[in-house]
């Protein structure tokens, strides 16, 4: 138990981030907090992919740097792309929130639901 | 030139998307002609590629000259070429609708072309991570397009779509990461080779990857119970956008599911993990029933059409879940047919709202007299969707049921047959009201009837409470032409399928036995 905790702590961090992110996304009434929850959820996945690329004692895959074990650069490159996508999504979400606030004057989901269905 | 066709399908709309913004700085209202030009080129390229694939077999393209599986590969086979042609033709056709229906801003057409680029990319890519990127490009463009609706509630619908859609796409990315961890590759063909040989199909990593990827795509397809973003997004968006996204976005996501099922996991995965196949078929069956029940309980026409999509995509995914050649052919035929029929129905409901102000089902009373062309189109498309021969809906369902019968999955056969009755349950009352129920206000019935192609829409409008919004908007020839074309196609595609059966079957056989 202690062993797995000590060697697999990154996966526990990933699970915690996914859980916290989804919880905030579902449970929070504030739209901005929902977007933050979405970001935390995505970050959990980013963390997962990056840690899968980690090799104990590995060095960056640069020729001439020496070293026996190289770390795969692929997960980092993938996540760099995914982060860009995440930033774009956040920007669109915040733009929508600005419009919702200027139209309805609230960011509270419950109040919004009432106004929305009228 | 021919070698570069697959990448041009993505590059042309992306470059085209910058033009309305740039030219818009110098001249006003250039968005529509530029988008039309770009999509004409796109449709030409797609058709050219279709001919090339039909005669010469699948085309593969290595982006930047890096050999697969290290580089990014684009693959166009018989299935993807059908979807690419569908995307190009529908996008071009919807532009005819947008000419008058608007929105007329340049930025709208930039987003429109970005959506086409994302959809084309999802279709031709041969790499699971690239599929994620194009999924998000499609998503971003779609969220923006939904928010262009006139009413402020469009922004709320778009935000809901964004939050749920992002979770779906993230789950797909998570699944792709599991596959990368299990095999060390992202190329679809290479994955299909390694799965089952290097990595056991029933290993936890692979089964989890399957669950996450299918779950993520199910959100994008809007299967029950993760469909909740869809009715709001479809009914609050601008009419043009409703037509476009109802015809294409879920369709291409369902195509991506077929790609993941048959090009990555392959049918041998289903043989090794029967529980995965059962789970997929059960989700499909639940979607068919729940979508229909929800559609029956709606009073707004566009929301009813949106819930009907939940049910119809259940049929398509059910066909893929059975995974026999006949069922997969049925799934693909219904996928293409549904795009034409649902796009046409949304177009017709938009025309009806503009011409008469009717948006709710009880307001469709006696519509046949007030807007005969739109009513006829709705009736033809609805009956084709129910599965009345020779409509394309009949042919798709026929093959799916045939495949399910041959695979002896009796529960699914029962649901598939019941789905016809369920579809009839929500479309029949629409047809009945249009043709056999006189309008509520008797005096209005004596007003001169006008065709819905016309200028006199103001006169045909019921005076009282129906003209809540949009009643006075003009209806152009292009809008009517698109809807009529969709109705004609929905009927004509049905008999055409057997003629193409050889070609489709060849492509499906290649897909199922790589």
């Amino acid at each position: 138990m202690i062993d797995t905790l000590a060697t697999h702590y990154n996966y526990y961090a990933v699970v915690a981030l996914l859980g916290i992110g989804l919880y905030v996304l579902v449970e929070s009434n504030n739209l901005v907090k929902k977007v933050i929850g979405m970001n935390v959820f995505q970050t959990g996945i980013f963390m997962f992919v990056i840690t899968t690329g980690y090799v104990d004692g590995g060095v960056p895959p640069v020729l001439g740097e020496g070293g026996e074990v190289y770390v795969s650069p692929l997960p980092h490159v993938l996540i760099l792309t995914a982060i860009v996508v995440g930033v774009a999504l956040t920007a669109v979400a915040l733009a929508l929130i600005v419009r919702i606030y200027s139209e309805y004057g609230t960011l509270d989901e419950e109040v919004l639901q009432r106004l929305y269905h009228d | 030139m021919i070698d570069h066709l697959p990448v041009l399908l993505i590059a042309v709309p992306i470059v085209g998307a910058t033009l309305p913004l740039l030219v818009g700085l110098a001249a006003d209202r250039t968005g529509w002609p530029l988008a039309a030009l770009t999509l004409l080129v796109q449709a030409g390229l797609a058709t050219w590629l279709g001919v090339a694939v039909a005669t010469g077999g699948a085309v593969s393209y290595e982006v930047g000259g890096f050999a697969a599986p290290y580089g990014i590969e684009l693959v166009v086979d018989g299935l993807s070429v059908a979807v690419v042609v569908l995307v190009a033709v529908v996008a071009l056709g919807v532009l005819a609708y947008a000419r008058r229906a608007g929105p007329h801003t340049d930025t709208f057409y930039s987003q429109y072309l970005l959506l086409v680029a994302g959809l084309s990319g999802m279709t031709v890519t041969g790499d699971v991570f690239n599929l994620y990127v194009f999924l998000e490009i499609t998503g971003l463009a779609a969220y923006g397009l939904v928010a262009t609706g006139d009413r402020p509630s469009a922004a709320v619908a778009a935000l809901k779509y964004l939050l749920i859609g992002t979770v779906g796409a993230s789950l797909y990315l998570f699944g792709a990461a599991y596959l990368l961890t299990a095999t060390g590759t992202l190329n679809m063909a290479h994955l299909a080779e390694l799965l089952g040989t290097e990595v056991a199909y029933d290993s936890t990593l692979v089964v989890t990857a399957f669950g996450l990827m299918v779950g993520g795509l199910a959100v994008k397809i809007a299967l029950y119970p993760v469909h909740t973003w869809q009715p709001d997004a479809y009914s609050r968006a601008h009419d043009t956008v409703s037509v476009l996204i109802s015809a294409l976005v879920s369709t291409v996501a369902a195509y991506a599911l077929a790609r993941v099922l048959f090009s990555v996991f392959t049918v041998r995965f289903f043989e090794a993990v029967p529980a995965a196949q059962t789970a997929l078929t059960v989700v499909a069956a639940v979607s068919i029933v729940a979508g229909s029940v929800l559609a029956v309980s709606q009073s707004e026409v566009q929301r009813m059409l949106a819930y009907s999509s939940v049910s119809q995509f259940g049929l398509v995914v059910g066909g893929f879940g059975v995974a026999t050649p006949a069922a997969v052919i049925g799934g693909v035929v219904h996928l293409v047919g549904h795009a034409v029929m649902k796009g046409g129905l949304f177009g017709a409901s938009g025309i009806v709202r503009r011409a008469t102000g009717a948006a709710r089902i009880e307001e469709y009373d006696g519509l046949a007299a007030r807007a005969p062309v739109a009513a006829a189109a709705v009736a033809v498309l609805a009956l084709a969707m129910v599965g009345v021969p020779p409509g394309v809906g009949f042919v798709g369902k026929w093959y799916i049921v045939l495949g399910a019968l041959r695979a002896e999955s009796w529960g699914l056969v029962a649901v598939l047959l019941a789905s016809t009755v369920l579809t009839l349950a929500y479309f029949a009352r629409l047809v009945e009201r249009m043709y056999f129920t006189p309008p509520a206000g008797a005096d209005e019935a004596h007003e001169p009837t006008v065709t819905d192609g016309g200028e006199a829409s103001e006169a045909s409008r019921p005076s009282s409470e129906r003209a809540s919004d949009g009643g006075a908007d003009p209806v152009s020839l292009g809008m009517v032409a698109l809807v009529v074309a969709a109705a004609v196609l929905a009927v004509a595609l049905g008999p055409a399928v057997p003629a193409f059966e050889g070609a489709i079957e060849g492509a499906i056989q290649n897909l199922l036995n790589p």
Side-chain angles (χ1 to χ4, degrees):
Chain A
M1 176 63 198
I2 298 294
D3 269 1
T4 41
L5 202 63
T7 52
H8 290 70
Y9 56 90
N10 50 340
Y11 296 111
Y12 292 100
V14 167
V15 172
L17 282 175
L18 292 179
I20 293 168
L22 267 187
Y23 180 78
V24 174
L25 184 58
V26 173
E27 278 298 313
S28 176
N29 272 334
N30 187 309
L31 293 179
V32 177
K33 287 185 186 166
K34 274 182 184 292
V35 174
I36 295 171
M38 182 186 89
N39 277 325
V40 173
F41 177 73
Q42 285 189 312
T43 310
I45 294 169
F46 299 166
M47 292 273 288
F48 172 78
V49 183
I50 290 171
T51 53
T52 58
Y54 178 75
V55 181
D56 215 10
V59 295
V62 181
L63 284 180
E65 289 285 308
E68 309 242 307
V69 187
Y70 293 103
V71 173
S72 168
L74 189 59
H76 302 89
V77 180
L78 298 183
I79 291 314
L80 204 57
T81 313
I83 288 171
V84 174
V85 172
V87 169
L89 278 167
T90 312
V92 173
L94 292 176
L96 289 172
I97 286 176
V98 168
R99 179 157 170 222
I100 290 171
Y101 189 76
S102 67
E103 296 279 1
Y104 291 101
T106 180
L107 287 177
D108 189 290
E109 203 195 11
E110 280 177 18
V111 182
L112 198 62
Q113 283 291 334
R114 276 204 301 280
L115 295 171
Y116 185 61
H117 287 293
D118 284 344
Chain B
M1 180 68 185
I2 179 89
D3 301 334
H4 294 287
L5 274 182
V7 78
L8 282 177
L9 281 175
I10 307 168
V12 165
I14 288 184
V15 173
T18 60
L19 295 179
L21 281 178
L22 288 179
V23 180
L25 295 175
D28 274 344
R29 307 217 6 176
T30 50
W32 194 85
L34 286 169
L37 184 69
T38 313
L39 288 174
L40 268 177
V41 175
Q42 168 90 351
L45 292 175
T47 318
W48 188 4
L49 192 62
V51 174
V53 170
T55 52
V59 178
S60 155
Y61 182 85
E62 286 162 352
V63 178
F66 293 100
Y70 304 106
I72 296 165
E73 194 185 14
L74 304 178
V75 185
V76 188
D77 63 5
L79 177 59
S80 38
V81 90
V83 180
V84 151
V85 171
L86 177 80
V87 168
V89 169
V90 170
L92 190 60
V94 175
L95 262 191
Y97 196 89
R99 181 79 178 120
R100 181 69 68 87
H104 301 290
T105 53
D106 295 329
T107 47
F108 171 78
Y109 291 101
S110 285
Q111 271 183 326
Y112 191 106
L113 290 173
L114 270 185
L115 183 76
V116 175
L119 293 168
S120 311
M122 276 173 80
T123 316
V124 300
T125 186
D127 182 291
V128 284
F129 184 77
N130 242 323
L131 183 56
Y132 164 75
V133 174
F134 284 119
L135 198 67
E136 288 287 39
I137 293 176
T138 307
L140 277 166
Y143 310 144
L145 286 173
V146 168
T148 55
D150 321 316
R151 289 170 292 172
S153 55
V156 183
L159 186 68
K160 192 174 176 184
Y161 184 9
L162 188 149
L163 292 173
I164 300 175
T166 304
V167 172
S170 302
L171 287 178
Y172 173 84
L173 173 66
F174 207 9
Y178 265 84
L179 275 188
L180 176 67
T181 314
T183 63
T185 183
L186 290 165
N187 184 285
M188 286 183 184
H190 198 207
L191 273 170
E193 263 173 49
L194 295 182
L195 291 176
T197 51
E198 302 274 315
V199 191
Y201 279 125
D202 54 359
S203 73
T204 320
L205 273 178
V206 177
V207 175
T208 315
F210 176 84
L212 287 169
M213 290 171 99
V214 171
L217 287 172
V219 175
K220 292 282 181 181
I221 303 171
L223 291 177
Y224 186 85
V226 282
H227 66 285
T228 48
W229 57 267
Q230 192 220 37
D232 281 346
Y234 284 13
S235 61
R236 313 273 170 172
H238 197 280
D239 284 340
T240 309
V241 179
S242 299
V243 179
L244 186 69
I245 64 175
S246 70
L248 292 181
V249 173
S250 289
T251 305
V252 177
Y255 159 83
L257 178 71
R259 233 340 110 204
V260 167
L261 289 182
F262 302 124
S263 294
V264 177
F265 287 96
T266 69
V267 278
R268 289 192 299 276
F269 173 79
F270 278 159
E271 285 161 18
V273 191
Q277 189 169 16
T278 315
L280 192 65
T281 350
V282 167
V283 167
V286 171
S287 271
I288 294 173
V289 177
S292 306
V293 170
L294 285 165
V296 171
S297 64
Q298 297 305 309
S299 55
E300 231 177 279
V301 174
Q302 294 208 328
R303 290 184 79 82
M304 184 193 86
L305 293 176
Y307 280 114
S308 149
S309 286
V310 176
S311 163
Q312 300 300 323
F313 278 106
L315 273 170
V316 172
V317 174
F320 295 156
V322 173
T324 57
V328 177
I329 291 176
V332 173
V333 169
H334 200 56
L335 197 62
V336 174
H338 177 266
V340 172
M341 294 184 283
K342 193 49 65 66
L345 280 167
F346 268 102
S349 70
I351 290 178
V352 169
R353 210 186 63 204
R354 280 162 178 272
T356 68
R360 303 170 66 79
I361 290 171
E362 66 261 24
E363 292 168 345
Y364 271 54
D365 288 353
L367 188 74
R370 286 183 283 150
V373 179
V378 170
V380 169
L381 289 164
L383 292 176
M385 187 83 93
V386 171
V388 176
V392 68
F394 167 74
V395 183
K397 283 184 189 182
W398 172 262
Y399 278 107
I400 297 174
V401 173
L402 200 66
L405 274 174
R406 285 190 188 146
E408 300 185 347
S409 56
W410 305 117
L412 189 66
V413 171
V415 174
L416 289 172
L417 293 176
S419 84
T420 306
V421 182
L422 291 167
T423 314
L424 193 65
Y426 54 83
F427 277 134
R429 55 178 183 157
L430 202 59
V431 175
E432 192 267 339
R433 277 180 181 278
M434 288 190 307
Y435 283 93
F436 304 112
T437 312
D443 50 343
E444 287 164 13
H446 298 298
E447 278 181 357
T449 52
V450 226
T451 60
D452 38 0
E455 313 68 31
S457 57
E458 192 68 33
S460 71
R461 216 171 118 206
S463 45
S464 57
E465 73 284 351
R466 282 186 195 155
S468 49
D469 61 324
D473 290 336
V475 174
S476 71
L477 192 64
M479 295 166 71
V480 179
L482 173 78
V483 171
V484 171
V488 171
L489 263 182
V491 177
L493 276 179
V497 170
F500 284 102
E501 199 184 335
I504 304 174
E505 205 159 9
I508 302 290
Q509 290 289 0
N510 282 337
L511 196 65
L512 294 181
N513 310 302

